[in-house]
């Protein structure tokens, strides 16, 4: 099982500068490379300080110049916000800059607040139509001249300039949850990335079953891969309460996600207050004690035991999701423990 790092710049107040956050993100990425991680993933989000990444491409291009082995994943770009020609060209350019280390994940999008500002109020739930049209169009543009007459985009003959280093195409990933999404991804020859969020490891097993069903339904397609993305925090074994700051931090992250996802309040200069704890009194999955069990939080041995189960399920890649509202120093120490005490158990 491979390991990767999934990270964004997180800003929770105006006391920290964006430049400092950028330098912190770069430090974590360099640590991941030195620790033998396969990929660093950075997603796409707009106008929200708690997940800063208006485009993963410049961040990954910078990291391409600072690294030599780690792969560089746009994980994920939001299909309705991209024209296929632009997506093909920018991804291929990153592949050229990195000399063949680019990977791209594509998602339909989730926050209506972003769609209201970037996609003319398109319903976020309709973003899957764009994803299904974007993926084959980008692949065709990477191969050469291609004209497109789709339901969403229409353009005369064009091609991707530049062309990617990796041929016939760089690896593509689809963020999937329901069976239809798994089936589309596998049918297209794409890998699958899944996020169990606040659900337990039974959700990981269920998502793997959906993936396996899609693979069985498409024997004509070479075996794709599946990645699990999960909030991760490792604390020392001699600190039995070390889980609590992480669980409380991840709870704050999800309460902030809820505030943005709910789209009930106008953001104030890119900030939204987290939804109050009282809102989730009847939602035990939000409690720190529950998040301690569902998020990948624990001592090195506890984390190793759970990851062995993922390995037995057939998970190809586990992505260490470092967004959790905690300080850079806390994140750095957690990643260091993971690299020094967890990764060697899988080598």
């Amino acid at each position: 099982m491979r390991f990767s790092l999934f990270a964004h710049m997180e800003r929770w107040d105006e006391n920290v500068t964006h430049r400092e956050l950028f330098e912190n993100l770069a430090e974590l990425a360099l640590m991941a490379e030195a620790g033998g991680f396969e990929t660093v993933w950075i997603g796409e989000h707009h106008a929200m300080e708690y997940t800063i990444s208006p485009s993963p491409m410049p961040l990954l291009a910078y990291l391409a110049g600072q690294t030599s082995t780690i792969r560089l994943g746009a994980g994920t770009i939001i299909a309705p916000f991209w024209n296929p020609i632009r997506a093909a060209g920018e991804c291929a350019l990153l592949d050229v800059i990195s000399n063949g280390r680019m990977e791209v994940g594509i998602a339909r999008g989730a926050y209506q607040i972003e769609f209201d500002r970037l996609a003319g109020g398109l319903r976020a739930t309709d973003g899957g139509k764009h994803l299904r049209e974007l993926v084959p169009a980008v692949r065709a543009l990477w191969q050469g001249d291609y004209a497109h007459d789709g339901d969403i985009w229409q353009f005369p003959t064009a091609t991707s300039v530049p062309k990617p280093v990796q041929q016939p195409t760089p690896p593509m990933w689809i963020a999937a949850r329901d069976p239809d999404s798994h089936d589309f991804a596998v049918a297209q020859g794409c890998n699958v990335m899944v996020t169990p969020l606040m659900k337990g490891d039974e959700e990981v097993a269920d998502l793997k079953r959906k993936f396996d069903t899609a693979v069985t339904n498409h024997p004509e397609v070479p075996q794709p891969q599946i990645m699990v993305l999960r909030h991760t925090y490792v604390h020392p074994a001699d600190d039995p309460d070390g889980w609590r700051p992480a669980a409380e931090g991840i709870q704050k992250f999800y309460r902030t996600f809820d505030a943005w996802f709910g789209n009930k309040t106008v953001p104030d200069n890119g900030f939204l207050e987290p939804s109050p704890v009282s809102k989730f009194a009847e939602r035990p999955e939000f409690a720190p004690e529950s998040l301690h069990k569902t998020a990948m939080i624990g001592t090195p041995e506890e984390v190793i035991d759970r990851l062995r189960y993922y390995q037995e399920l057939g998970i190809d890649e586990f992505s260490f999701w470092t967004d959790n509202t905690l300080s850079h120093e806390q994140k750095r120490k957690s990643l260091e423990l993971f690299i020094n005490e967890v990764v060697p158990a899988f080598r």
Side-chain angles (χ1 to χ4, degrees):
M1 187 167 62
R2 303 186 309 272
F3 297 110
S4 59
L5 179 72
F6 201 101
H8 295 97
M9 295 182 285
E10 297 181 73
R11 193 165 183 245
W12 296 93
D13 58 56
E14 295 180 342
N15 293 325
V16 60
T17 67
H18 292 104
R19 178 67 198 186
E20 183 179 347
L21 294 171
F22 166 71
E23 291 171 351
N24 291 343
L25 176 62
E27 181 184 8
L28 295 178
L30 290 170
M31 285 178 62
E33 178 179 61
F37 279 39
E38 178 81 8
T39 308
V40 56
W41 295 95
I42 299 174
E44 175 185 4
H45 290 291
H46 297 273
M48 50 181 67
E49 290 276 11
Y50 98 110
T51 313
I52 304 167
S53 185
S55 172
M57 301 305 175
L59 285 167
L60 294 169
Y62 171 81
L63 291 174
Q66 303 298 309
T67 59
S68 57
T69 59
I70 198 165
R71 297 184 64 79
L72 305 159
T76 54
I77 65 172
I78 303 173
F81 304 161
W82 291 74
N83 178 284
I85 299 172
R86 179 185 165 213
E90 289 202 26
C91 290
L93 181 58
L94 177 59
D95 204 43
V96 171
I97 291 169
S98 66
N99 194 25
R101 289 187 280 146
M102 190 277 293
E103 308 212 359
V104 59
I106 303 175
R108 71 178 193 179
Y111 295 100
Q112 188 60 47
I113 202 165
E114 291 183 307
F115 280 73
D116 290 345
R117 288 153 178 78
L118 278 83
L122 175 76
R123 291 188 307 170
T125 51
D126 290 337
K129 299 174 183 176
H130 293 69
L131 184 152
R132 285 167 169 76
E133 193 169 317
L134 183 76
V135 170
V138 166
R139 279 205 159 142
L141 289 162
W142 281 338
Q143 296 307 301
D145 281 340
Y146 170 71
H148 186 77
D149 185 19
D151 294 333
I152 297 162
W153 297 286
Q154 301 84 36
F155 52 82
T157 299
T159 191
S160 173
V161 177
K163 296 292 189 297
V165 171
Q166 298 174 90
Q167 290 294 328
T169 75
M172 299 184 80
W173 298 74
I174 302 294
R177 179 164 295 278
D178 62 82
D180 288 344
S181 297
H182 283 266
D183 193 78
F184 170 79
V186 173
Q188 289 291 317
C190 296
N191 301 318
V192 171
M193 50 174 60
V194 298
T195 307
L197 297 175
M198 291 171 289
K199 296 184 178 181
D201 288 345
E202 70 281 356
E203 176 73 359
V204 177
D206 185 57
L207 290 165
K208 180 59 165 56
R209 280 193 292 270
K210 293 173 182 176
F211 173 78
D212 289 341
T213 298
V215 170
T216 300
N217 289 341
H218 295 282
E220 76 284 0
V221 177
Q223 175 77 37
Q225 298 184 348
I226 182 170
M227 176 182 85
V228 170
L229 166 66
R230 181 142 243 178
H231 289 283
T232 304
Y233 187 86
V234 187
H235 64 86
D238 61 2
D239 182 10
D241 294 323
W243 64 270
R244 185 167 287 280
E248 291 175 349
I250 292 168
Q251 183 204 58
K252 180 181 177 182
F253 182 93
Y254 279 127
R255 289 192 291 114
T256 307
F257 172 89
D258 180 79
W260 282 97
F261 192 79
N263 199 20
K264 306 280 190 203
T265 307
V266 177
D268 180 7
N269 202 28
F271 292 99
L272 273 182
E273 285 296 316
S275 297
V277 174
S278 59
K279 179 178 178 180
F280 308 102
E282 305 301 320
R283 298 282 302 278
E285 67 270 28
F286 277 88
E289 292 76 11
S290 177
L291 290 168
H292 179 202
K293 298 176 182 178
T294 55
M296 189 62 70
I297 300 173
T299 67
E301 284 303 316
E302 290 169 340
V303 170
I304 288 169
D305 286 345
R306 287 184 66 191
L307 289 176
R308 287 205 190 282
Y309 173 64
Y310 287 16
Q311 190 176 44
E312 290 167 3
L313 286 175
I315 300 301
D316 298 294
E317 181 174 326
F318 177 80
S319 197
F320 182 118
W321 188 4
T322 191
D323 300 354
N324 57 20
T325 80
L326 301 182
S327 70
H328 175 64
E329 182 62 17
Q330 289 170 301
K331 292 180 181 182
R332 190 187 62 75
K333 287 181 177 179
S334 168
L335 181 58
E336 190 173 56
L337 267 177
F338 189 91
I339 289 169
N340 291 338
E341 300 192 27
V342 176
V343 172
F346 296 88
R347 294 292 181 261

